[in-house]
């Protein structure tokens, strides 16, 4: 429970914005089955983050995969057909979010990341608890969208959709121009300053 609480606390820190922004854009783009899309996004974010933490992927493969994932994610986001931002797109964006996330490392998460090298299976479950806590703001936003028709109509509006597409396009541009790592590093430094947590990079 303390690990889940640490995740919730970390959700307000800048190091979590890379996950939350992409997730929020997905919720805005997906007009049907938003709950399923967010679940798919969360699952693949957790899996991708765990693969990095357990040292399964090497740096070069990770960088190539990140570029390909962002290109695919931006292409999906720019499609007029909203169905293309469905479960497959959710998995793609979740994999990207987990692959590029710099975790805010408090005492609980630090223990999990240390264990990931030797007890990968246990670490996967624990990291899932933490990241679900990080995504609580997305769950809260989704609940409001699902249960308040006025908010749902606003979320389905043209300007919100354009903003979500633009956000993903900007992320894609930053990755392809080599500036995304710089942005993430800046967010990580802000998080360390605000919280006293360390931020594990790479």
């Amino acid at each position: 429970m303390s690990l889940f609480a640490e995740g919730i606390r970390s959700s307000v820190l800048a190091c979590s914005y890379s996950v939350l922004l992409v997730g929020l854009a997905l919720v805005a783009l997906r007009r049907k089955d938003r709950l399923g899309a967010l679940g798919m996004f969360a699952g693949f974010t957790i899996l991708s983050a765990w693969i990095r933490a357990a040292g399964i992927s090497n740096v070069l493969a990770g960088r190539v995969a990140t570029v390909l994932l962002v290109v695919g994610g931006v292409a999906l986001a720019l499609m007029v057909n909203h169905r293309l931002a469905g479960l497959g797109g959710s998995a793609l964006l979740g994999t990207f979010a987990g692959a590029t996330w710099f975790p805010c490392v408090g005492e609980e998460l630090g223990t999990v990341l240390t264990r990931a090298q030797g007890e990968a299976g246990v670490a996967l479950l624990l990291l899932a608890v933490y990241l679900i806590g990080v995504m609580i703001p997305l769950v809260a936003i989704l609940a409001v969208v699902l249960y308040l028709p006025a908010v749902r109509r606003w979320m389905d509006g043209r300007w919100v959709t354009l903003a979500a597409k633009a956000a993903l396009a900007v992320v894609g541009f930053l990755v392809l121009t080599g500036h995304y790592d710089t942005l993430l590093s800046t967010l990580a430094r802000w998080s360390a300053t605000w919280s006293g947590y360390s931020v594990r990079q790479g």
Side-chain angles (χ1 to χ4, degrees), residues 78-90:
L78 294 176
M79 294 292 182
V80 175
N81 189 336
H82 294 285
R83 287 178 296 179
L84 294 178
L87 298 183
S90 303

PDB file of all heavy atoms in Angstrom, residues 78-90:
ATOM      1  N   LEU A  78      -2.793  11.352 -35.782  1.00  0.00           N
ATOM      2  CA  LEU A  78      -3.150  12.284 -36.847  1.00  0.00           C
ATOM      3  C   LEU A  78      -4.208  11.727 -37.799  1.00  0.00           C
ATOM      4  O   LEU A  78      -4.669  12.429 -38.692  1.00  0.00           O
ATOM      5  CB  LEU A  78      -1.897  12.663 -37.638  1.00  0.00           C
ATOM      6  CG  LEU A  78      -0.848  13.464 -36.846  1.00  0.00           C
ATOM      7  CD1 LEU A  78       0.381  13.705 -37.700  1.00  0.00           C
ATOM      8  CD2 LEU A  78      -1.431  14.780 -36.360  1.00  0.00           C
ATOM      9  N   MET A  79      -4.582  10.468 -37.602  1.00  0.00           N
ATOM     10  CA  MET A  79      -5.618   9.886 -38.450  1.00  0.00           C
ATOM     11  C   MET A  79      -6.980  10.502 -38.137  1.00  0.00           C
ATOM     12  O   MET A  79      -7.314  10.756 -36.981  1.00  0.00           O
ATOM     13  CB  MET A  79      -5.678   8.365 -38.243  1.00  0.00           C
ATOM     14  CG  MET A  79      -4.446   7.627 -38.715  1.00  0.00           C
ATOM     15  SD  MET A  79      -4.268   7.684 -40.520  1.00  0.00           S
ATOM     16  CE  MET A  79      -2.786   6.687 -40.720  1.00  0.00           C
ATOM     17  N   VAL A  80      -7.765  10.729 -39.161  1.00  0.00           N
ATOM     18  CA  VAL A  80      -9.112  11.262 -38.959  1.00  0.00           C
ATOM     19  C   VAL A  80     -10.005  10.209 -38.318  1.00  0.00           C
ATOM     20  O   VAL A  80     -10.870  10.520 -37.495  1.00  0.00           O
ATOM     21  CB  VAL A  80      -9.722  11.718 -40.304  1.00  0.00           C
ATOM     22  CG1 VAL A  80     -11.167  12.157 -40.126  1.00  0.00           C
ATOM     23  CG2 VAL A  80      -8.890  12.844 -40.900  1.00  0.00           C
ATOM     24  N   ASN A  81      -9.800   8.960 -38.661  1.00  0.00           N
ATOM     25  CA  ASN A  81     -10.613   7.867 -38.145  1.00  0.00           C
ATOM     26  C   ASN A  81     -10.218   7.588 -36.700  1.00  0.00           C
ATOM     27  O   ASN A  81      -9.136   7.070 -36.431  1.00  0.00           O
ATOM     28  CB  ASN A  81     -10.407   6.618 -39.001  1.00  0.00           C
ATOM     29  CG  ASN A  81     -11.377   5.505 -38.649  1.00  0.00           C
ATOM     30  OD1 ASN A  81     -11.893   5.450 -37.543  1.00  0.00           O
ATOM     31  ND2 ASN A  81     -11.608   4.625 -39.599  1.00  0.00           N
ATOM     32  N   HIS A  82     -11.081   7.921 -35.747  1.00  0.00           N
ATOM     33  CA  HIS A  82     -10.747   7.784 -34.330  1.00  0.00           C
ATOM     34  C   HIS A  82     -10.576   6.331 -33.907  1.00  0.00           C
ATOM     35  O   HIS A  82      -9.948   6.048 -32.892  1.00  0.00           O
ATOM     36  CB  HIS A  82     -11.829   8.446 -33.470  1.00  0.00           C
ATOM     37  CG  HIS A  82     -11.886   9.927 -33.638  1.00  0.00           C
ATOM     38  ND1 HIS A  82     -10.954  10.778 -33.094  1.00  0.00           N
ATOM     39  CD2 HIS A  82     -12.757  10.709 -34.321  1.00  0.00           C
ATOM     40  CE1 HIS A  82     -11.252  12.027 -33.413  1.00  0.00           C
ATOM     41  NE2 HIS A  82     -12.333  12.013 -34.162  1.00  0.00           N
ATOM     42  N   ARG A  83     -11.114   5.380 -34.666  1.00  0.00           N
ATOM     43  CA  ARG A  83     -10.961   3.975 -34.307  1.00  0.00           C
ATOM     44  C   ARG A  83      -9.500   3.545 -34.352  1.00  0.00           C
ATOM     45  O   ARG A  83      -9.105   2.589 -33.696  1.00  0.00           O
ATOM     46  CB  ARG A  83     -11.794   3.102 -35.251  1.00  0.00           C
ATOM     47  CG  ARG A  83     -13.290   3.200 -34.993  1.00  0.00           C
ATOM     48  CD  ARG A  83     -14.059   2.355 -35.985  1.00  0.00           C
ATOM     49  NE  ARG A  83     -13.878   2.842 -37.357  1.00  0.00           N
ATOM     50  CZ  ARG A  83     -14.437   2.263 -38.415  1.00  0.00           C
ATOM     51  NH1 ARG A  83     -15.190   1.186 -38.262  1.00  0.00           N
ATOM     52  NH2 ARG A  83     -14.243   2.754 -39.622  1.00  0.00           N
ATOM     53  N   LEU A  84      -8.691   4.253 -35.104  1.00  0.00           N
ATOM     54  CA  LEU A  84      -7.279   3.919 -35.193  1.00  0.00           C
ATOM     55  C   LEU A  84      -6.516   4.296 -33.932  1.00  0.00           C
ATOM     56  O   LEU A  84      -5.347   3.944 -33.782  1.00  0.00           O
ATOM     57  CB  LEU A  84      -6.650   4.593 -36.416  1.00  0.00           C
ATOM     58  CG  LEU A  84      -7.177   4.095 -37.761  1.00  0.00           C
ATOM     59  CD1 LEU A  84      -6.539   4.865 -38.904  1.00  0.00           C
ATOM     60  CD2 LEU A  84      -6.908   2.603 -37.926  1.00  0.00           C
ATOM     61  N   ALA A  85      -7.172   5.026 -33.034  1.00  0.00           N
ATOM     62  CA  ALA A  85      -6.570   5.322 -31.727  1.00  0.00           C
ATOM     63  C   ALA A  85      -7.108   4.339 -30.696  1.00  0.00           C
ATOM     64  O   ALA A  85      -7.192   4.642 -29.518  1.00  0.00           O
ATOM     65  CB  ALA A  85      -6.891   6.758 -31.307  1.00  0.00           C
ATOM     66  N   GLY A  86      -7.484   3.135 -31.133  1.00  0.00           N
ATOM     67  CA  GLY A  86      -8.095   2.140 -30.271  1.00  0.00           C
ATOM     68  C   GLY A  86      -7.084   1.304 -29.510  1.00  0.00           C
ATOM     69  O   GLY A  86      -6.030   1.786 -29.105  1.00  0.00           O
ATOM     70  N   LEU A  87      -7.376   0.013 -29.352  1.00  0.00           N
ATOM     71  CA  LEU A  87      -6.569  -0.813 -28.468  1.00  0.00           C
ATOM     72  C   LEU A  87      -5.147  -1.011 -28.981  1.00  0.00           C
ATOM     73  O   LEU A  87      -4.197  -0.997 -28.200  1.00  0.00           O
ATOM     74  CB  LEU A  87      -7.266  -2.164 -28.271  1.00  0.00           C
ATOM     75  CG  LEU A  87      -8.641  -2.096 -27.599  1.00  0.00           C
ATOM     76  CD1 LEU A  87      -9.197  -3.502 -27.385  1.00  0.00           C
ATOM     77  CD2 LEU A  87      -8.570  -1.346 -26.277  1.00  0.00           C
ATOM     78  N   GLY A  88      -4.988  -1.190 -30.312  1.00  0.00           N
ATOM     79  CA  GLY A  88      -3.639  -1.327 -30.850  1.00  0.00           C
ATOM     80  C   GLY A  88      -2.823  -0.060 -30.654  1.00  0.00           C
ATOM     81  O   GLY A  88      -1.659  -0.099 -30.255  1.00  0.00           O
ATOM     82  N   GLY A  89      -3.445   1.088 -30.924  1.00  0.00           N
ATOM     83  CA  GLY A  89      -2.766   2.358 -30.702  1.00  0.00           C
ATOM     84  C   GLY A  89      -2.469   2.586 -29.232  1.00  0.00           C
ATOM     85  O   GLY A  89      -1.430   3.146 -28.873  1.00  0.00           O
ATOM     86  N   SER A  90      -3.374   2.131 -28.362  1.00  0.00           N
ATOM     87  CA  SER A  90      -3.161   2.274 -26.918  1.00  0.00           C
ATOM     88  C   SER A  90      -1.941   1.485 -26.477  1.00  0.00           C
ATOM     89  O   SER A  90      -1.134   1.957 -25.662  1.00  0.00           O
ATOM     90  CB  SER A  90      -4.393   1.778 -26.159  1.00  0.00           C
ATOM     91  OG  SER A  90      -5.558   2.474 -26.554  1.00  0.00           O
TER      92      SER A  90
END
